Amino acid sequence: MAITQRQLFLDHLAQTTDFPMSLEIVRAEGSYMYDPDGKSYLDLISGISVSSIGHRHPRVVEAIKNQVDQYMHLMVYGEYIQTPQVALAQKLAELLGEGLDSTYFVNSGSEANEGAMKLAKRATGRAEIISMKKAYHGSTQGVLSIIGDEDFKRGFRPLLPGTRSIQFDSEEELERITNKTAAVIVEPIQGEAGYSPPSQEYLGALRKKCNDTGTLLIFDEVQCGFGRTGKMFAHQHYGIKPDIITLAKGMGGGMPIGAFIASRELMAHFKDNPILGHITTFGGHPVSCAASLACVNVIVDEKLAEGVKVKEQLFRELLVHKNIKEVRGKGLMLAVQLDTFENVQTVIDHCLKNGVISDWFLFCDNAIRLSPPLNITEVDIRKACKILLEGIDLI
């Protein structure tokens, strides 16, 4: 008997749980993925907020093919003038505005946050990094030190010294930021905590406290950036600008890319003491940059961020059920709050059986994650909500 792909997957790919979904996909397009038997799955999580303009958007595919015909990897990032990098960095500076006009490209959100932490320590000469409880910033050792859940950290200690967590959206806790703090890193909308937005007053007080103590403010928009909340970047809802912003996920149209962005003056600290203060081999890969620029242009040209509010409202209108405690979040970054993980799993299993992909959160496992492509249709929203509600009927 021939060995199946599933068995090869289990035998040779490193697993991080004893219960992987093990869903085999052979094709994906738009808001749908397809298994070897041709069954379709409506993707309500976009590969965890990555495929924000759908799978294999034609303009992204075209940009990839065109760039592959020119060149791929050339040299360690930052030495050669490569048009895809330059064009993307220029576009990001245009969208982010003054003070966030110098981009360092990396490969992922974890790397972006690692780079931002290094930059903050180098620029301030301080060591302390403050993050938020229930925050998620990645899995490498540096950012593992600043995620806000001890269960994920204790098996890997000791981690970075000089890190501490404070309560998200608590103005009282801001008193723990002092003139010894290099940076505070915060998600403008917490992701793995179950899509929790802060108050306007909190972010304003946080910005002021950082100003008063000479502390750099880092916004992690890895999950909430690029139109997902109804604006190109989530901090634009609040009118508060960070000193450093980190990006990834929905940035690449499905290709691996991340970035941390600051002012030219701030980023210049990597040029001396020592030179080559941060290095990456594949960061700013020209194919990923070409894909990213196409993705950003699709979001802008098709006004996808502007269309998010109507789609959010439709989800909220449809997802009404006695077993739903609340629908929380902003834009197409929504958490459907139930009561237990077991009930969430019941709904996820029902959805999977009926061709809808949903998920839970690392630090909020009693809520269902909704993070579909920004260009999901009204028809597909109605279809998804019908199946979700059928699953909720089972609990």
Side-chain angles (χ1 to χ4, degrees), residues 148-382:
D149 187 278
E150 182 58 29
D151 287 344
F152 277 76
K153 296 197 283 192
R154 66 168 54 95
F156 303 100
R157 289 195 179 277
L159 296 169
L160 284 182
T163 62
R164 63 166 72 186
S165 295
I166 62 175
Q167 191 65 43
F168 180 68
D169 205 22
S170 167
E171 291 189 43
E172 287 183 9
E173 293 267 286
L174 298 181
E175 291 305 313
R176 299 175 68 184
I177 301 167
T178 71
N179 58 11
K180 295 181 180 179
T181 309
V184 176
I185 182 167
V186 62
E187 301 158 276
I189 298 174
Q190 280 201 313
E192 296 308 316
Y195 291 166
S196 299
S199 68
Q200 174 77 42
E201 293 73 20
Y202 172 74
L203 284 188
L206 172 59
R207 177 69 274 182
K208 183 177 186 303
K209 186 67 174 178
C210 288
N211 290 345
D212 291 346
T213 57
T215 299
L216 295 177
L217 178 58
I218 303 170
F219 278 174
D220 176 342
E221 292 217 27
V222 168
Q223 189 162 176
C224 60
F226 294 99
R228 181 142 301 279
T229 64
K231 290 190 180 290
M232 183 59 78
F233 302 102
H235 71 270
Q236 293 170 340
H237 288 283
Y238 302 95
I240 294 166
K241 184 170 280 192
D243 300 297
I244 307 171
I245 189 170
T246 62
L247 304 168
K249 287 191 181 289
M251 178 179 183
M255 289 290 284
I257 188 170
F260 58 103
I261 303 175
S263 67
R264 287 190 297 276
E265 293 75 17
L266 195 55
M267 202 69 81
H269 284 92
F270 280 151
K271 294 196 294 185
D272 61 72
N273 192 27
I275 64 166
L276 303 175
H278 197 65
I279 304 172
T280 173
T281 297
F282 291 110
H285 192 284
V287 178
S288 290
C289 285
S292 179
L293 181 60
C295 174
V296 172
N297 285 334
V298 166
I299 295 171
V300 172
D301 296 346
E302 298 183 9
K303 300 186 185 312
L304 295 185
E306 292 88 333
V308 160
K309 187 173 183 180
V310 171
K311 294 175 182 182
E312 174 191 0
Q313 188 58 37
L314 182 57
F315 271 112
R316 290 184 180 277
E317 289 173 1
L318 294 173
L319 290 173
V320 177
H321 193 285
K322 63 182 176 63
N323 291 329
I324 295 176
K325 309 301 182 187
E326 68 169 330
V327 177
R328 180 180 59 250
K330 189 181 286 289
L332 291 179
M333 193 174 182
L334 298 172
V336 181
Q337 187 68 52
L338 303 181
D339 53 359
T340 67
F341 172 70
E342 289 72 24
N343 284 338
V344 166
Q345 194 63 56
T346 295
V347 177
I348 289 174
D349 291 344
H350 173 82
C351 287
L352 185 61
K353 182 179 178 182
N354 289 275
V356 172
I357 303 293
S358 54
D359 195 19
W360 40 275
F361 299 90
L362 285 179
F363 309 145
C364 182
D365 65 6
N366 58 351
I368 298 167
R369 181 197 306 264
L370 300 181
S371 184
L374 306 184
N375 50 4
I376 188 173
T377 65
E378 178 184 331
V379 169
D380 282 338
I381 291 173
R382 292 184 181 278

Side-chain angles (χ1 to χ4, degrees), residues 104-147:
Y104 195 112
F105 290 118
V106 290
N107 303 285
S108 68
S110 292
E111 282 188 58
N113 286 323
E114 292 276 3
M117 289 168 67
K118 281 182 65 178
L119 180 58
K121 291 168 77 172
R122 174 66 184 81
T124 64
R126 304 173 184 178
E128 182 179 74
I129 305 288
I130 290 180
S131 58
M132 303 295 153
K133 296 184 189 302
K134 294 189 177 180
Y136 183 80
H137 300 293
S139 283
T140 49
Q141 287 202 64
V143 290
L144 186 61
S145 306
I146 60 168
I147 70 170

